[in-house]
Amino acid sequence: MEGFDYKELDAYQATLDFFGWAVEVTGRVPWKFRAVGDQFIGASVSILGNIGEASGRRRRPAESSQHYRYAQGSTHECAAYLDALACMEVISETDRGDREAQLARIGAMITRLIDLQERRRTRSR
């Protein structure tokens, strides 16, 4: 079995940092809006999981690309939840902007990983 080399990816490390912050923030979500916090955590952990799964499917570039695309979609979902959290005044506008920039950076890194897998897929045909 191969090692878990995805843990060394900058995209994974940045997502892990974001996830840790998301866990802390959801502790401040009012109980009546708990579903929003749960969805936010689910979307942020989905980024982590799909990066890991993509790495495990590296020898199948099409499958790997698809998991990176799922991770990419989850970054957008998290950005929408940042808006909701700001609306509920759980986070400040400054936090929203900072974390949205972090998600954009994560998304850009994931895009590069998708591009890499697509090049591998094209070469293997």
Side-chain angles (χ1 to χ4, degrees), residues 24-38 85 88 90:
E24 186 271 319
V25 163
T26 56
R28 300 191 312 246
V29 173
W31 183 252
K32 66 182 178 179
F33 299 118
R34 196 82 215 137
V36 174
D38 291 346
L85 293 168
M88 294 185 307
V90 173

Side-chain angles (χ1 to χ4, degrees), residues 2-125:
E2 294 179 28
F4 300 113
D5 56 348
Y6 64 88
K7 291 183 177 190
E8 296 177 25
L9 292 172
D10 289 339
Y12 185 83
Q13 289 300 315
T15 302
L16 194 57
D17 176 70
F18 182 85
F19 176 73
W21 177 81
V23 168
E24 186 271 319
V25 163
T26 56
R28 300 191 312 246
V29 173
W31 183 252
K32 66 182 178 179
F33 299 118
R34 196 82 215 137
V36 174
D38 291 346
Q39 291 287 101
F40 182 51
I41 288 295
S44 61
V45 79
S46 176
I47 304 168
L48 285 172
N50 278 296
I51 290 172
E53 189 154 356
S55 178
R57 297 176 187 268
R58 192 178 22 222
R59 292 178 192 205
R60 295 184 170 168
E63 290 180 28
S64 184
S65 291
Q66 187 58 47
H67 283 284
Y68 284 132
R69 283 187 181 89
Y70 294 148
Q72 186 74 278
S74 293
T75 64
H76 290 264
E77 185 178 358
C78 284
Y81 287 121
L82 289 176
D83 292 340
L85 293 168
C87 253
M88 294 185 307
E89 298 181 350
V90 173
I91 62 172
S92 69
E93 283 298 319
T94 300
D95 275 346
R96 188 199 58 75
D98 291 349
R99 293 305 172 160
E100 192 172 276
Q102 184 180 19
L103 285 170
R105 187 173 145 264
I106 291 166
M109 288 187 274
I110 293 170
T111 295
R112 286 191 295 279
L113 292 167
I114 292 168
D115 291 346
L116 175 65
Q117 290 307 310
E118 290 300 314
R119 284 192 300 275
R120 286 182 180 161
R121 186 171 124 187
T122 302
R123 278 187 260 144
S124 67
R125 288 185 193 182

